[in-house]
């Protein structure tokens, strides 16, 4: 039952954001009493925390699989867009903004994951790209990795979309393309364009 509650909570939070989805909403969707939910989750804070924890575990597995299946660092970057597309198609853009504002413990978990896993993975990819001759050797890896993370974070801020007519995913795609063209060598740009043309 706990797994069913967690799955339904994840589905609803991702679709509508965490603020508007109550325990009553989840109970009603599952056809169970709110009391049943509280037998597994003491409060909404615990529910949101475990939803983020489950998301992080799944996301980590996807990136591990991507590391194994990628041909090179540019291929990995473009394939990561496909993972992002799937995730973003299921995610309300306000989700992380609301978690940050109303559920600090859950957001702290997500922040730790970004720093310990995503940021470190990005730095490794940048160094690998330099070694392979695809990325410019003079780039400051730590700074550029943080710039890329900042771009992703910015796109989750609802204020960022005030005047935009682009979808969440299209925004991410444009930002990544802009980022890549700033760090690619001629050799890297040639491979990058060949991958894009083959899609």
């Amino acid at each position: 039952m706990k797994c069913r509650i967690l799955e339904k909570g994840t589905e609803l939070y991702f679709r509508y954001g965490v603020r508007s989805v109550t325990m009553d909403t989840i109970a009603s969707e599952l056809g169970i009493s709110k009391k049943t939910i509280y037998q597994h989750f003491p409060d909404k804070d615990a529910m949101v925390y475990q939803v983020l924890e489950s998301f992080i575990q799944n996301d980590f597995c996807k990136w591990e699989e991507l590391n194994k299946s990628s041909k090179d660092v540019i291929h990995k970057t473009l394939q990561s867009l496909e993972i992002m597309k799937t995730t973003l198609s299921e995610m309300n853009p306000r989700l992380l903004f609301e978690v940050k504002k109303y559920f600090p413990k859950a957001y702290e978990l997500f922040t730790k994951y970004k720093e310990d896993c995503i940021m470190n993975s990005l730095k490794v990819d940048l160094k690998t790209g330099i070694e392979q001759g695809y990325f410019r050797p003079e780039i400051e890896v730590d700074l550029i990795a943080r710039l890329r993370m900042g771009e992703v974070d910015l796109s989750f801020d609802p204020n960022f979309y005030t005047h935009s007519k682009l979808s969440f995913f299209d925004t991410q795609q444009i930002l990544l393309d802009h980022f890549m063209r700033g760090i690619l060598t001629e050799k890297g740009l040639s491979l990058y364009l060949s991958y894009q043309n083959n899609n």
Side-chain angles (χ1 to χ4, degrees):
M1 177 56 75
K2 184 175 182 178
C3 287
R4 282 186 61 214
I5 296 169
L6 196 58
E7 284 174 8
K8 182 54 70 174
T10 300
E11 176 193 328
L12 294 174
Y13 290 154
F14 270 63
R15 188 185 304 163
Y16 302 112
V18 290
R19 188 130 188 253
S20 62
V21 176
T22 64
M23 295 299 224
D24 283 312
T25 308
I26 296 168
S28 176
E29 285 280 327
L30 287 169
I32 60 175
S33 70
K34 192 163 64 170
K35 183 180 177 182
T36 303
I37 294 179
Y38 284 125
Q39 288 172 352
H40 300 281
F41 303 93
D43 51 35
K44 189 173 179 180
D45 281 33
M47 168 79 89
V48 172
Y49 188 93
Q50 289 193 41
V51 164
L52 260 292
E53 190 173 48
S54 177
F55 169 78
I56 286 168
Q57 288 169 352
N58 290 334
D59 195 60
F60 180 77
C61 290
K62 288 176 186 176
W63 288 103
E64 284 291 290
E65 185 57 39
L66 184 60
N67 282 332
K68 295 174 187 173
S69 63
S70 299
K71 300 174 186 175
D72 52 66
V73 70
I74 295 177
H75 182 250
K76 178 183 175 183
T77 301
L78 292 173
Q79 288 299 108
S80 73
L81 261 182
E82 292 305 309
I83 293 177
M84 194 179 287
K85 186 175 185 178
T86 302
T87 302
L88 295 182
S89 69
E90 301 166 353
M91 182 186 288
N92 186 310
R94 296 187 62 87
L95 176 67
L96 289 177
F97 177 79
E98 290 181 353
V99 171
K100 180 179 181 179
K101 189 170 182 180
Y102 301 106
F103 300 91
K105 284 185 180 178
Y107 191 74
E108 185 180 334
L109 178 72
F110 183 71
T111 301
K112 186 172 180 355
Y113 172 63
K114 283 197 308 179
E115 286 293 326
D116 294 349
C117 295
I118 300 176
M119 180 68 76
N120 285 338
S121 177
L122 187 50
K123 288 178 184 177
V124 168
D125 287 348
L126 288 169
K127 289 174 184 175
T128 301
I130 291 170
E131 289 166 5
Q132 294 174 343
Y134 297 134
F135 297 161
R136 290 163 40 206
E138 72 274 16
I139 64 172
E140 291 289 337
V141 169
D142 287 358
L143 177 63
I144 296 301
R146 200 152 292 281
L147 171 66
R148 177 62 190 143
M149 290 298 295
E151 284 182 344
V152 175
D153 286 344
L154 179 63
S155 64
F156 281 98
D157 184 341
N159 295 323
F160 185 70
Y161 285 98
T162 304
H163 305 292
S164 177
K165 296 179 181 177
L166 296 169
S167 73
F168 198 25
F169 175 71
D170 286 343
T171 300
Q172 289 290 357
Q173 198 168 24
I174 290 168
L175 289 175
L176 179 60
D177 182 65
H178 185 271
F179 172 80
M180 289 296 287
R181 288 173 185 272
I183 64 172
L184 290 167
T185 60
E186 287 187 21
K187 174 185 173 183
L189 181 60
S190 177
L191 183 61
Y192 178 69
L193 294 175
S194 73
Y195 279 135
Q196 285 190 321
N197 292 334
N198 288 330
N199 286 339

